[in-house]
Amino acid sequence: MLLQIVVIYLITAISAEEYKLEFAQIIGRHGDRSPGFTYPNNPANSYWKQGPLQLTQLGMKQHYELGQYFKGRYQGFTSPHYFHQEIYIYSSNEDRLIESALSDMAGWFPPSDWQVFEKGLNWQPIPVHITSISQDSLQVDWRGCKEWMKINQTVTSSPEYIAKINEARPMMAYIANHTGVEVNFFTNFGGFADLFLCEKCHNITLPKWFTNGVNYDQLQEFSLYAQVNKFYTEEEQIIAGGPLFKMIRDNIVNKTKGYPTTAKNIIIYSGHDTTIIQLTKLMGVYNNIVVPYAAALLIEVYSDAVNDLYIKLSYRNESHSDPHVLQMPSCGFKEYCPIGSYLDLTKNKVISLKELNAICEY
């Protein structure tokens, strides 16, 4: 009887155990942006004042609100005031990524008391760090990699992929007929899908020829299929996302061993939808759903009552709800994956920039 009581007590204690946040890395997609592709007779071409692939005011608002969310989520883990020792932001050298990160910080760390430098201005400058192209682990040139091209050629010549192209041919021909632009599944078909997605997000009336003859959801499905299959094999995923994943894992290892990291508490990476696809595929938690604007993947380190360390993965893909917990199949679908298991399971899914340059023959 006494033994049963002790066992019940231990089970209760373990189940009620609280985990303490030790370190966080956030990988985000930029906010709403203008399309990168259009066609000559598109009546909406004049709508986009800043030109192609630029963050819109809606995108700025999305990331401002995301920053406010993180301010609440990490209250007590980061200071109410911005301190450069606590948080560090990386971005590739693209306007929409940099502006998204700046908008995050505007929502997260508005100045108060001693940080106010202009009365009435509820903003302060917070640095976003840009890496050089040759040292950019956040966005490598995987499309120009000879090894990736060789592997992807095998993927796109498979019977399944060819069947998908054939399924899309009537839609491609219809779009080409009404736009005067030749449509190719590999090059600009996704650009058309993105164009009409952008216009729909901004409540722009879509052309009658489009609404009458194109299934919008099916168009987006074709586009997602083509995008995801750029990272169909693990080799493709490592080429595209391995350098960033190495950086993330190295930060985890350094933090747990007490070695210096670029920030004590949180590191942020401002990236693309493909950035999140690559990382979630490498960890076996991709959900096969379009990555929305201002989505965020959270990779957090927690400790338990006896100072054992764990990795918790979360994904915020809805702006008005808490992140969804992601559970790695290879870690037994645990919410908190023991850090040793996590590092062991992912050790072969990274690559250095030096190794990448060698196999890609840039």
Side-chain angles (χ1 to χ4, degrees):
M1 180 69 177
L2 179 60
L3 180 61
Q4 286 179 319
I5 293 173
V6 171
V7 170
I8 291 170
Y9 171 79
L10 288 173
I11 292 173
T12 304
I14 292 171
S15 63
E17 182 179 56
E18 289 191 5
Y19 292 85
K20 178 187 174 186
L21 181 62
E22 300 287 348
F23 184 57
Q25 296 183 84
I26 301 170
I27 304 93
R29 185 192 180 189
H30 58 76
D32 178 87
R33 54 148 175 79
S34 56
F37 172 86
T38 188
Y39 56 97
N41 59 341
N42 184 357
N45 281 343
S46 62
Y47 178 85
W48 310 102
K49 306 301 183 189
Q50 295 282 12
L53 297 175
Q54 296 298 308
L55 196 69
T56 65
Q57 275 59 44
L58 173 60
M60 296 172 193
K61 181 176 173 59
Q62 288 169 337
H63 271 276
Y64 182 82
E65 292 176 348
L66 182 63
Q68 291 179 316
Y69 168 79
F70 284 133
K71 183 178 183 69
R73 179 181 178 88
Y74 293 113
Q75 184 177 7
F77 184 63
T78 58
S79 305
H81 298 91
Y82 166 74
F83 288 101
H84 70 90
Q85 302 94 331
E86 292 185 348
I87 190 164
Y88 193 95
I89 308 104
Y90 286 104
S91 174
S92 292
N93 192 17
E94 295 178 72
D95 291 352
R96 63 189 183 279
L97 273 63
I98 299 167
E99 291 172 351
S100 293
L102 291 170
S103 300
D104 278 336
M105 293 300 102
W108 196 334
F109 293 107
S112 60
D113 46 75
W114 60 271
Q115 289 191 319
V116 175
F117 65 93
E118 178 69 26
K119 187 176 180 180
L121 179 62
N122 197 31
W123 173 85
Q124 62 176 323
I126 293 175
V128 174
H129 301 269
I130 313 301
T131 53
S132 66
I133 293 176
S134 62
Q135 296 298 316
D136 190 357
S137 296
L138 183 53
Q139 186 179 350
V140 299
D141 179 22
W142 49 268
R143 292 181 184 86
C145 174
K146 289 185 179 179
E147 183 66 15
W148 177 86
M149 288 189 280
K150 182 175 73 174
I151 298 169
N152 196 249
Q153 176 65 37
T154 303
V155 174
T156 55
S157 59
S158 68
E160 178 192 339
Y161 201 98
I162 291 170
K164 184 64 71 173
I165 294 173
N166 289 334
E167 184 185 351
R169 285 192 191 283
M171 184 182 291
M172 291 192 290
Y174 180 83
I175 292 173
N177 185 50
H178 285 83
T179 61
V181 176
E182 184 179 351
V183 182
N184 184 290
F185 195 86
F186 298 102
T187 55
N188 62 0
F189 192 38
F192 275 108
D194 177 69
L195 169 65
F196 294 117
L197 169 66
C198 292
E199 292 184 3
K200 194 172 183 181
C201 286
H202 285 256
N203 298 313
I204 297 171
T205 301
L206 301 180
K208 284 187 178 180
W209 66 263
F210 180 87
T211 55
N212 290 340
V214 177
N215 182 319
Y216 176 83
D217 291 336
Q218 188 181 37
L219 173 61
Q220 299 304 326
E221 177 197 328
F222 285 139
S223 177
L224 179 63
Y225 181 87
Q227 182 185 50
V228 171
N229 277 278
K230 291 179 173 69
F231 320 110
Y232 182 80
T233 67
E234 185 172 283
E235 291 84 358
E236 290 170 301
Q237 297 160 22
I238 292 172
I239 287 170
L244 175 59
F245 198 26
K246 182 180 187 305
M247 189 175 182
I248 291 168
R249 287 182 78 266
D250 287 351
N251 284 327
I252 292 171
V253 171
N254 289 339
K255 186 67 180 179
T256 56
K257 289 185 176 181
Y259 300 154
T261 54
T262 49
K264 184 175 72 173
N265 295 35
I266 298 175
I267 298 175
I268 295 175
Y269 309 86
S270 184
H272 296 277
D273 51 355
T274 50
T275 313
I276 291 177
I277 292 172
Q278 293 154 13
L279 291 174
T280 52
K281 273 185 162 286
L282 283 168
M283 293 185 287
V285 292
Y286 177 61
N287 63 6
N288 208 39
I289 298 174
V290 172
V291 177
Y293 292 127
L297 173 65
L298 284 58
I299 302 177
E300 298 172 322
V301 178
Y302 285 84
S303 63
D304 63 14
V306 294
N307 292 321
D308 287 334
L309 297 175
Y310 302 83
I311 294 291
K312 180 179 179 180
L313 306 176
S314 306
Y315 180 41
R316 190 173 191 262
N317 63 347
E318 296 173 308
S319 57
H320 299 293
S321 65
D322 286 330
H324 305 282
V325 175
L326 303 178
Q327 298 166 309
M328 289 174 59
S330 56
C331 200
F333 295 96
K334 297 183 182 76
E335 179 175 350
Y336 293 90
C337 180
I339 199 163
S341 299
Y342 177 83
L343 292 173
D344 187 57
L345 291 166
T346 58
K347 66 183 178 183
N348 295 322
K349 300 189 177 186
V350 300
I351 190 170
S352 69
L353 286 174
K354 183 178 180 180
E355 293 168 325
L356 184 72
N357 290 335
I359 68 167
C360 288
E361 300 179 34
Y362 289 132

